[in-house]
Amino acid sequence: MPDVVQTRHGATVLMCAPDGPPIADEQSAVDLIGTLWGQDVQWIVLPVARLTEDFFVLRTRVAGAVVQKLQQYGFRVVVLGDVSAQVAASTALRDFVYESDKGRQLWFVRDEAELDARLSAAA
């Protein structure tokens, strides 16, 4: 299944396919950005399946590098899927997810229903 650009609750969203190339580092983020050149995408939705385990280990700095690169190019980021096991294993990640979810640049959502609710509320 390919990545798909959709309009959801007035926002243009890139729904990344779970089986696409892994997002493992800053270069992966740059590669993803390259596929969006010229499209008016506001949100990039990254399924948990596309993220390497290093993304969820904050001391590796992968999450920070990926999210920062996407945000430098004006994209907001959503991590879609169940991260409860990773959050349970790391106090730092739990705090990062909690703080991110309070903002408007990076969200962690369990499923598309929660994504739609967040986008609707933000509209």
Side-chain angles (χ1 to χ4, degrees):
M1 173 168 118
D3 298 347
V4 177
V5 176
Q6 302 174 340
T7 300
R8 296 174 89 118
H9 303 282
T12 307
V13 177
L14 173 69
M15 298 295 293
C16 293
D19 59 350
I23 306 299
D25 53 22
E26 189 174 342
Q27 185 58 51
S28 304
V30 170
D31 294 344
L32 182 60
I33 291 166
T35 68
L36 295 172
W37 196 254
Q39 297 186 55
D40 188 26
V41 170
Q42 298 162 303
W43 288 91
I44 296 177
V45 179
L46 300 171
V48 170
R50 286 277 288 270
L51 302 171
T52 63
E53 272 305 308
D54 282 348
F55 185 91
F56 300 103
V57 179
L58 296 184
R59 72 178 175 273
T60 66
R61 301 182 182 191
V62 171
V66 167
V67 171
Q68 182 179 13
K69 185 57 68 176
L70 294 172
Q71 289 178 347
Q72 283 175 336
Y73 282 86
F75 300 108
R76 296 176 182 172
V77 181
V78 176
V79 174
L80 175 69
D82 184 8
V83 297
S84 59
Q86 293 93 332
V87 166
S90 169
T91 302
L93 181 62
R94 181 193 69 212
D95 294 345
F96 179 68
V97 169
Y98 176 77
E99 291 299 324
S100 296
D101 282 342
K102 291 184 348 183
R104 294 183 50 92
Q105 297 297 316
L106 173 62
W107 295 338
F108 290 80
V109 299
R110 182 173 287 282
D111 54 31
E112 287 190 41
E114 185 178 350
L115 170 63
D116 286 334
R118 297 284 307 262
L119 288 172
S120 178

